[in-house]
Amino acid sequence: MLSNLNADILARTIYGEARGEFSRVDGGLAALIAIGNVVINRVNRKSWFGGDIREVCQKPKQFSCWNASDSNYTVIQQVTHDDSLFKTCLNVADNVICGAWPDLTKGADHYYAVSSQNLPYWAENKMPTVKIGQHLFFQLEV
């Protein structure tokens, strides 16, 4: 049961953070996988990020879609398994959790959308590991 809960939480995180990337030529499935990679990389760091998928995804102010003030919060709460893109996110979550797909982010534990108005303070003077879709990915913790 915990495994299914973890997959559901990860799928909701992927959906909330990157569903708009799925239909983009430069994003697609890779953009969804990359968000999952970041979560798993944070889990594997066993640090302040949290000890499991739920803790990492729902840690305050880490993944904006889980912040109650974010417009995506309601979206991820209400999406159902009938939504075809959410089904894809569940498939991505399952495959990322079991390690069936590679880490497209090259170890990244942070990312931000390039459409963001302001550069996050933590990204200043940092080199991204990769750009996938409209997200830049960074490995800040080792």
Side-chain angles (χ1 to χ4, degrees), residues 19-25 27-28:
R19 72 183 175 281
E21 296 287 299
F22 185 68
S23 61
R24 294 181 57 90
V25 173

Side-chain angles (χ1 to χ4, degrees), residues 20-124:
E21 296 287 299
F22 185 68
S23 61
R24 294 181 57 90
V25 173
D26 61 346
L29 190 61
L32 304 180
I33 294 169
I35 301 303
N37 291 151
V38 168
V39 171
I40 297 303
N41 290 341
R42 286 182 175 201
V43 170
N44 291 339
R45 297 278 191 302
K46 302 199 183 311
S47 67
W48 65 272
F49 293 125
D52 61 27
I53 289 171
R54 183 194 58 78
E55 287 178 8
V56 167
C57 289
Q58 296 178 343
K59 187 172 183 83
K61 299 185 180 177
Q62 292 303 303
F63 293 93
S64 60
C65 67
W66 288 102
N67 297 334
S69 61
D70 190 275
S71 60
N72 285 307
Y73 182 75
T74 303
V75 172
I76 67 170
Q77 299 299 315
Q78 294 177 352
V79 68
T80 69
H81 294 232
D82 294 329
D83 182 292
S84 63
L85 182 51
F86 185 64
K87 284 181 190 176
T88 299
C89 292
L90 280 166
N91 182 288
V92 168
D94 285 337
N95 281 286
V96 169
I97 289 169
C98 75
W101 288 344
D103 181 359
L104 303 179
T105 70
K106 303 177 183 175
D109 46 38
H110 285 72
Y111 65 89
Y112 75 91
V114 295
S115 62
S116 198
Q117 296 283 340
N118 300 313
L119 179 71
Y121 73 90
W122 52 261
E124 292 178 8

